[in-house]
């Protein structure tokens, strides 16, 4: 059966995460319901990143198999049903071996911190507000210590029997406007809550409560209890999914 | 009675505009209800700009008179009641002659256009999405023609007997990221729907449907029918209110 790749983006605020869950409004649930409406059959989909409740995606990739599809037309029909919370930007036919999840070579996430005394009503859904000044240079050093292949057990919500070894290709913090700090991390894959756990640790460092060098100790402990919890979901955006071939 | 100045910001998405209206959820309505809760008396307030339904404010100024107020404490109490949709950033005692509306020397607004083929679910409440490419240089010329003191009747929703003569101190368009165009306009005051009507005209110019020089003709016609309607409210933000003394 021919395989298709769908590129989407969404505002995660109104969803209980990406992954389908009975009785909950999820991105996958809405997307598969729309596919069924348009195609008249149930369609199983696979996604590059299963984002948590409240987490957004600028770019998420979904794959599925289906007969008799006109991809451009399907993209338009799905978009009509799913906008404006979910945007369907394209649908293309791909090689039968393509999997949105397993063919992805890396994922890039961004996390935004609004760092100023007062909240901003207009950015409350897309940035974590922290009123104390943060030392972005120290946060950068804390993040850099995580680059490479490591066992990230300290930064992962446990999943029985699953490996927590991951490879981070790059991790950096920068001040990208007068009051926004941006964390960008790229890795081959991430385990559950990994990005948000890294952000929470970096923010502790930025507050001066931890030394940037402690990151290595926390990493080497391989103990979730050594981390600093998880940053709130609404500051996190799945920014881009990379494949060797588009 | 002592006079106070309150600085606030809000996400206009969930409100039927700033000004109090019976049976509608408005910013002024919420604010005055919170003031009554905290102070135990009805308080009449005055604001620098009465923004329309869906319009946001990064910075709005409100004034009122009241006895026995501790301004810093009041700001904190109001903030607790009104956040996160409305942020109360400060409250200070001001000269008795101060009026948020009449003491303001100018208002600055920004309007954001998301100019790219696809919608962005995360920015759908803060920018007008236009998929066709826009000529930002031509839009800048159209806007520049409006600077100065003029009768803006073509750009104002009629209000019986009210003057439509206003003075624009500056008006410019710029591309401020790969897909965002920003309009900034500063004026001593604006009449109803004036900024959004100017934006709608500029966008017509940007689309190539009108010559930038036509702006002057539209202005001189003093006829609402000559304009190009009003741009949607959600792209507009009251950015700053200026006073000679803070």
């Amino acid at each position: 059966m021919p395989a298709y790749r769908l590129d989407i983006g969404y505002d995660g605020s109104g969803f209980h995460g990406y992954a389908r869950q009975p009785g909950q409004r999820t991105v996958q649930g809405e997307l598969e319901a729309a596919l069924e409406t348009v195609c008249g059959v149930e369609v199983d989909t696979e996604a590059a990143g299963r984002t948590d409740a409240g987490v957004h995606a600028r770019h998420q990739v979904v794959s599925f198999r289906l007969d008799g599809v006109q991809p451009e037309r399907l993209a338009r029909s799905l978009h009509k049903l799913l906008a404006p919370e979910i945007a369907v930007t394209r649908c293309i036919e791909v090689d039968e071996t393509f999997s949105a999840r397993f063919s992805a070579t890396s994922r890039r996430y961004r996390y935004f911190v609004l760092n100023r005394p007062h909240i901003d009503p207009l950015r409350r859904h897309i940035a974590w507000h922290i009123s104390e000044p943060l030392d972005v240079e120290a946060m950068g050093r804390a993040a850099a210590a995580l680059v490479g292949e490591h066992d990230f057990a300290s930064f992962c919500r446990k999943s029985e029997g699953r490996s927590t070894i991951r490879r981070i290709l790059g991790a950096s913090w920068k001040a990208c406007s007068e009051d926004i700090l941006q964390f960008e991390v790229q890795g081959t894959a991430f385990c559950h809550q990994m990005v948000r756990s890294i952000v929470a640790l970096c923010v502790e460092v930025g507050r001066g409560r931890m030394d940037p060098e402690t990151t290595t100790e926390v990493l080497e402990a391989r103990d979730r209890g050594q981390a600093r919890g998880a940053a709130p979901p609404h500051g996190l955006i799945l920014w881009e999914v990379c494949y060797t071939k588009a």
Side-chain angles (χ1 to χ4, degrees), chain A:
Chain A
M1 212 168 1
Y4 296 92
R5 164 183 167 165
L6 207 58
D7 290 43
I8 67 171
Y10 47 86
D11 174 359
S13 310
F15 297 102
H16 282 82
Y18 180 82
R20 190 177 44 209
Q21 284 182 67
Q24 303 279 22
R25 185 167 185 261
T26 66
V27 178
Q28 186 181 17
E30 297 291 301
L31 177 62
E32 293 185 352
L35 271 166
E36 191 173 345
T37 301
V38 176
C39 305
V41 288
E42 271 189 42
V43 184
D44 265 331
T45 63
E46 194 173 61
R50 292 156 56 96
T51 53
D52 282 335
V55 174
H56 316 291
R58 170 183 170 270
H59 180 226
Q60 164 80 285
V61 178
V62 178
S63 58
F64 56 91
R65 275 152 228 291
L66 199 59
D67 267 325
V69 164
Q70 290 183 282
E72 282 174 32
R73 205 165 148 185
L74 177 61
R76 280 196 300 276
S77 304
L78 290 175
H79 186 76
K80 269 187 202 159
L81 289 169
L82 297 169
E85 278 176 277
I86 302 173
V88 176
T89 52
R90 71 168 183 171
C91 179
I92 52 170
E93 187 170 350
V94 285
D95 190 273
E96 273 187 43
T97 59
F98 179 84
S99 151
R101 182 171 171 200
F102 296 105
S103 305
T105 50
S106 69
R107 281 98 174 148
R108 202 147 56 93
Y109 282 89
R110 286 191 182 170
Y111 194 101
F112 295 93
V113 169
L114 175 68
N115 191 28
R116 63 175 205 173
H118 298 289
I119 63 163
D120 182 348
L122 278 174
R123 291 183 284 181
R124 69 187 191 280
H125 297 305
I126 52 161
W128 181 17
H129 174 244
I130 294 175
S131 48
E132 318 141 56
L134 295 173
D135 179 348
V136 68
E137 192 272 324
M139 293 162 78
R141 279 192 284 144
L146 300 171
V147 174
E149 189 169 283
H150 304 286
D151 184 342
F152 285 94
S154 298
F155 297 93
C156 296
R157 246 183 84 173
K158 275 229 173 75
S159 233
E160 273 314 316
R162 294 242 181 106
S163 163
T164 46
I165 294 172
R166 294 290 187 278
R167 188 178 173 156
I168 291 188
L169 304 166
S172 60
W173 281 92
K174 68 169 181 181
C176 71
S177 75
E178 58 183 294
D179 54 18
I180 288 282
L181 303 184
Q182 175 194 299
F183 176 59
E184 179 163 290
V185 62
Q186 184 159 8
T188 51
F190 293 89
C191 50
H192 192 204
Q193 285 196 350
M194 184 168 150
V195 181
R196 294 199 279 134
S197 302
I198 293 172
V199 168
L201 191 89
C202 291
V203 165
E204 283 293 285
V205 169
R207 281 174 158 140
R209 294 183 194 161
M210 260 178 77
D211 215 55
E213 286 64 42
T214 324
T215 316
T216 308
E217 288 167 33
V218 172
L219 183 67
E220 286 172 358
R222 291 171 205 175
D223 170 13
R224 182 83 181 124
Q226 294 292 304
R228 294 298 183 277
H234 64 275
L236 184 60
I237 304 181
L238 173 54
W239 200 258
E240 194 181 5
V241 188
C242 304
Y243 299 87
T244 35
K245 289 177 192 171

